[in-house]
Amino acid sequence: MKRSFVGLTMAAMLCVTLFGATAARADQTVNWTGNGLDSVTLCVKGVNTPYLHWVLTPGGQPVDGTTAELFIQGKDVGTMVPVGAQGALQLTIAVSPKISIEQLEHATVYADITSGSVGDNAVLTISDGCLCRYDS
C-alpha cells in the first residue's frame, strides 16, 4: 500500500511538472505587417548586393538572451540576435536577385521567438535593404 502511494505521488508530481512547464513556456510569434517596406530600394547594378536588414523591436523591457528565428514563406532564413542596449534583435540576409519588391510585399514573414520573450507590442520591421527589380 505504501509503495503504491509513493508511486502515485511521484507520477502526479511528474505530470504537474511536465504540464506546468508546458503551460509556462508560451510560444511567441511576431508577424511582419509590411513595416519598413518603403525603406527597400532598388540595388545599383555592380555596386550593391541584394539584402534585407530585419529588426525585431521587443515591445517593452527586453529579456536578456532573447533570440528568434526569421521565417520567409515558411523557410527559416536565420537567427535574429540582440544588437545594442535596446534589446532589438537583428539579422541581415542576402536575397536572390530574382525577388521583386512586389513579391516581398506579399510574402509571409514572421519571427519565432526561440529563447527569452518579447512584449505584446513587439514589431518586425525591415530597417533597410535593396532588391534588384520591380515586377512589371
Side-chain angles (χ1 to χ4, degrees):
M1 176 86 173
K2 192 172 186 176
R3 267 189 168 166
S4 296
F5 178 75
V6 170
L8 183 60
T9 303
M10 293 298 286
M13 287 175 56
L14 179 61
C15 285
V16 168
T17 301
L18 287 176
F19 290 118
T22 301
R25 195 187 83 210
D27 293 328
Q28 285 186 294
T29 300
V30 179
N31 294 312
W32 180 58
T33 58
N35 296 323
L37 189 61
D38 58 346
S39 66
V40 177
T41 61
L42 284 177
C43 295
V44 175
K45 187 174 182 176
V47 176
N48 303 105
T49 302
Y51 75 97
L52 294 171
H53 181 164
W54 293 91
V55 176
L56 175 62
T57 54
Q61 183 63 32
V63 173
D64 286 341
T66 298
T67 61
E69 290 298 311
L70 182 67
F71 288 84
I72 300 176
Q73 298 297 89
K75 182 182 177 201
D76 186 344
V77 296
T79 303
M80 301 184 80
V81 294
V83 176
Q86 303 304 316
L89 305 179
Q90 299 184 35
L91 175 66
T92 300
I93 60 170
V95 181
S96 167
K98 297 178 181 179
I99 301 295
S100 70
I101 291 176
E102 286 78 11
Q103 289 170 319
L104 177 61
E105 180 179 23
H106 293 61
T108 300
V109 182
Y110 63 91
D112 185 25
I113 309 307
T114 54
S115 65
S117 66
V118 295
D120 292 337
N121 297 322
V123 177
L124 183 59
T125 303
I126 298 173
S127 172
D128 58 285
C130 71
L131 299 177
C132 286
R133 66 185 184 95
Y134 286 101
D135 281 340
S136 301

